[in-house]
């Protein structure tokens, strides 16, 4: 066992002495040592219940013949961090989580690992660490929050964000917004729709790194407690068989995750995260892989925010196993942490409601939920959640309204200084320029709440999984490194065509070269973690990983 390096032989007497101080017995010294990386904290709604899940994981590990050791990781709530300077810390936290788990695993020579997390950057960071450390690992995602409820309607956090725009438009009172605010989020768990947290939970299951059914089980359901214990038991089976993350995270399993992403119409952030996970596992993955699979896989689940269905509804309809069942033979057959293959899970799954999880011959849309766009504005690519874009806006050509940062754009939107037909450009919000690619849920929700229907938003930053409408992010190269988005001026025409996957700046190349001569990127005063991040982060088309 790997843990023998800290507990076997007379030379390890000092190490064992420290372990004995923890209460480790003679019998346990001969058992596998299993680390539990738990993102429990009391500031993130998706994490506040993870202490209880961690206890069930410990029970499972002990019952299966292992010794559990729990340690913490950080976790940022994107909703609380949204719309202010704190949002710049969100994406960099992914690297911090991966690094902290790697350091704990390497230092303490664990034989296996269970990662317990829920929200946006936490689960991707844990998967990156799993691929990097490559010891037997199971990921337990904490589950979605129950839907809010008001006057016969299910609610989610996005209703509150869009309520801000309605107040600005005069169509909702501040008192009504307060009532909405108090009704939308009834307890623990990740936000209710197919936003980034829940999309990544689904990707984890589709990749085979969590037990079947895990992703959609609500945080407060007793089934989540049971699967937590089973996850603890499962990691011991992996240890005994020496099945490691890189045996499960392969090119085929990552493609399965992308297929499920396309079928669900998930968050655009999955492009960043899957590419980062693939990089850690030394799997070649490019933006073209996403476009290729998008053409093959129909969009079969009309999930919030673009559709009516919450994660709770998806769970009741059969969860991810039922989605796998509908996709059927298009899936690659890959191993999973359960010991069953992906196709074995898909074959026995039951679709309990075909109006929620449709068959592939009766889809919501014939094409997958995401598209990668390229063109003169984004030579290295940009990402759009086409599942959330009305078909009337799949082609659009309009004048640019340029903002060097989210805050100035938000002020213009709330002041109703944007006109229908405009293409809002928010730049210097990329991996380096932001830094950290802050999400733009506040401006996109404000546009929806104000009632705009013909405005496109383009940014080198990111969008929340809760964003809907014609919003194009991850523009690469970003403005801060001299990408074409840096040279857009007010009034320039920008043309978007989702059918042909194009995004172009309609300005002559000679004019662009002229503008380049006088261009200087803004310099932001940075220190600490963000300064280090800005110096080492790659572009969005490479997953915004640090090198």
């Amino acid at each position: 066992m790997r843990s023998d390096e800290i507990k076997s032989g007379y030379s390890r007497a000092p190490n064992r002495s420290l372990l004995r101080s923890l209460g480790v017995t003679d019998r346990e010294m001969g058992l596998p040592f299993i680390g539990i990386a738990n993102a429990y904290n009391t500031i993130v709604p998706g994490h506040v219940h993870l202490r209880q899940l961690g206890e069930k994981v410990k029970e499972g590990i002990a019952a299966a013949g292992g010794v559990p050791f729990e340690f913490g990781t950080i976790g940022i709530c994107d909703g609380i961090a949204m719309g202010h300077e704190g949002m710049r810390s969100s994406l960099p936290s992914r690297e911090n989580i991966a690094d902290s788990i790697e350091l704990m695993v390497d230092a303490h020579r664990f034989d296996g690992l269970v990662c317990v997390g829920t929200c946006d950057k936490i689960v991707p960071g844990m998967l990156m660490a799993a691929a990097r450390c490559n010891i037997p690992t199971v990921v337990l995602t904490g589950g979605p929050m129950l839907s809010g409820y008001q006057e016969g309607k299910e609610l989610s956090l996005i209703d509150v964000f869009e309520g801000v725009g309605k107040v600005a438009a005069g169509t909702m009172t501040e008192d009504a917004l307060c009532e909405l605010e108090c009704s939308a989020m009834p307890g623990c768990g990740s936000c209710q729709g197919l936003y980034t947290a829940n999309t990544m939970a689904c990707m984890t299951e589709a990749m085979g790194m969590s037990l079947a059914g895990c992703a959609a089980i609500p945080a407060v359901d007793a089934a989540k407690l049971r699967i937590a214990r089973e996850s603890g038991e499962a990691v011991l089976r992996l240890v005994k068989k020496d099945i490691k993350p890189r045996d499960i995270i392969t090119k085929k399993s990552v493609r399965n995750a992308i297929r499920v992403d396309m079928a669900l119409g998930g968050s655009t952030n999955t492009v960043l995260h899957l590419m980062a996970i693939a990089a850690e596992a030394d799997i070649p993955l490019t933006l073209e892989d996403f476009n290729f699979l998008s053409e093959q896989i129909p969009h079969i689940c009309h999930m919030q925010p673009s559709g009516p269905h919450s994660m709770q509804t998806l769970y009741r309809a059969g969860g991810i196993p039922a989605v796998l069942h509908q996709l059927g033979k298009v899936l690659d057959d890959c191993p999973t942490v359960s010991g069953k293959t992906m196709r074995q899970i898909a074959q026995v799954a039951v679709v309990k409601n075909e109006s929620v999880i449709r068959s592939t011959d009766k889809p919501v849309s014939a094409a997958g939920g995401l598209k990668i766009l390229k063109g003169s504005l984004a030579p290295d690519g940009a990402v759009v959640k086409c599942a959330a874009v009305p078909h009337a806006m799949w082609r659009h050509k309009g004048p640019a309204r340029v903002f060097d940062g989210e805050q100035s754009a938000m002020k213009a939107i709330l002041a109703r200084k944007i006109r229908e037909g405009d293409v809002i450009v928010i730049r210097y919000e990329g991996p380096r320029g932001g830094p950290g690619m802050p999400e733009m849920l506040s401006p996109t929700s404000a546009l929806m709440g104000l009632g705009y229907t013909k405005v496109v938003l383009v940014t080198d930053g990111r969008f929340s999984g809760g964003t809907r409408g014609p919003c194009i992010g991850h523009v690469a190269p970003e403005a801060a490194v001299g990408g074409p988005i840096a040279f857009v001026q007010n009034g320039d025409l920008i043309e978007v065509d989702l059918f042909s996957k194009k995004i172009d700046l309609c300005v002559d190349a000679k004019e662009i070269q002229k503008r380049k001569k006088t261009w200087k990127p803004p310099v932001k005063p940075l220190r600490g973690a963000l300064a280090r991040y800005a110096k080492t982060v790659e572009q969005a088309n490479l997953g915004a990983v640090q090198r």
Side-chain angles (χ1 to χ4, degrees), residues 150 155 157 159-160 172 174-186:
Q150 187 183 59
L155 301 174
L157 180 62
D159 293 288
V160 187
M172 176 182 280
E174 289 192 45
D175 286 343
L177 178 60
C178 183
E179 289 182 23
L180 182 63
E181 167 191 334
C182 294
S183 303
M185 310 297 282

Side-chain angles (χ1 to χ4, degrees), residues 202-203 206-207 251-266 270-271 274-275 278 284-294 297-298 327 331 368-370:
C202 295
M203 297 304 94
M207 211 180 304
K251 180 74 171 182
K252 287 183 177 180
S253 73
V254 170
R255 287 166 67 90
N256 278 344
I258 296 171
R259 290 180 177 107
V260 170
D261 197 8
M262 296 302 173
L264 294 171
T270 56
V271 177
L274 288 174
M275 292 189 71
L285 187 70
T286 69
L287 294 181
E288 292 309 312
D289 289 295
F290 289 85
N291 262 346
F292 175 75
L293 293 170
S294 176
I297 306 299
L327 293 178
L331 295 169
L370 299 176

Side-chain angles (χ1 to χ4, degrees), residues 13-293:
N15 310 67
R16 286 195 301 274
S17 183
L18 290 165
L19 291 167
R20 290 182 192 281
S21 77
L22 302 173
V24 177
T25 66
D26 283 338
R27 183 185 68 86
E28 289 175 324
M29 288 292 184
L31 300 178
F33 281 11
I34 309 298
I36 303 171
N38 195 334
Y40 162 78
N41 61 51
T42 59
I43 184 63
V44 182
H47 292 177
V48 72
H49 64 303
L50 296 186
R51 176 182 283 174
Q52 185 181 22
L53 294 186
E55 291 301 315
K56 299 303 288 187
V57 172
K58 289 178 191 175
E59 289 179 17
I61 290 169
V67 186
F69 297 91
E70 188 172 18
F71 60 91
T73 69
I74 65 166
I76 288 174
C77 177
D78 281 11
I80 295 173
M82 194 70 68
H84 56 83
E85 288 299 302
M87 191 67 221
R88 304 189 189 285
S89 297
S90 177
L91 185 58
S93 75
R94 183 187 72 181
E95 320 306 304
N96 179 289
I97 291 160
D99 290 348
S100 66
I101 294 173
E102 176 194 7
L103 294 172
M104 288 295 287
V105 166
D106 281 354
H108 299 103
R109 313 315 288 166
F110 294 125
D111 299 300
L113 179 68
V114 179
C115 294
V116 185
T118 302
C119 292
D120 299 39
K121 309 308 162 300
I122 293 82
V123 172
M126 288 176 166
L127 287 165
M128 291 166 67
R132 191 186 299 175
C133 298
N134 204 35
I135 64 170
T137 302
V138 176
V139 178
L140 171 68
T141 51
M145 188 184 295
L146 297 180
S147 295
Y149 186 82
Q150 187 183 59
E151 298 177 357
K153 180 189 175 185
E154 285 192 337
L155 301 174
S156 77
L157 180 62
I158 305 310
D159 293 288
V160 187
F161 270 99
E162 294 186 2
V164 173
K166 291 178 181 179
V167 170
T171 58
M172 176 182 280
T173 66
E174 289 192 45
D175 286 343
L177 178 60
C178 183
E179 289 182 23
L180 182 63
E181 167 191 334
C182 294
S183 303
M185 310 297 282
C188 65
S190 49
C191 299
Q192 302 97 328
L194 194 67
Y195 315 138
T196 306
N198 289 323
T199 305
M200 281 310 305
C202 295
M203 297 304 94
T204 304
E205 186 177 333
M207 211 180 304
M209 285 297 293
S210 61
L211 295 182
C214 183
I217 300 172
V220 297
D221 198 301
K224 185 61 74 174
L225 296 175
R226 294 193 293 271
I227 206 166
R229 182 181 172 110
E230 291 166 354
S231 296
E233 295 170 355
V235 75
L236 268 297
R237 293 195 297 271
L238 298 178
V239 169
K240 289 171 184 175
K241 295 181 179 179
D242 196 30
I243 298 173
K244 299 173 182 176
R246 292 194 186 197
D247 298 320
I248 294 170
I249 303 174
T250 63
K251 180 74 171 182
K252 287 183 177 180
S253 73
V254 170
R255 287 166 67 90
N256 278 344
I258 296 171
R259 290 180 177 107
V260 170
D261 197 8
M262 296 302 173
L264 294 171
S267 166
T268 52
N269 285 316
T270 56
V271 177
L272 282 178
H273 298 324
L274 288 174
M275 292 189 71
I277 294 161
E280 294 289 357
D282 294 323
I283 296 167
L285 187 70
T286 69
L287 294 181
E288 292 309 312
D289 289 295
F290 289 85
N291 262 346
F292 175 75
L293 293 170

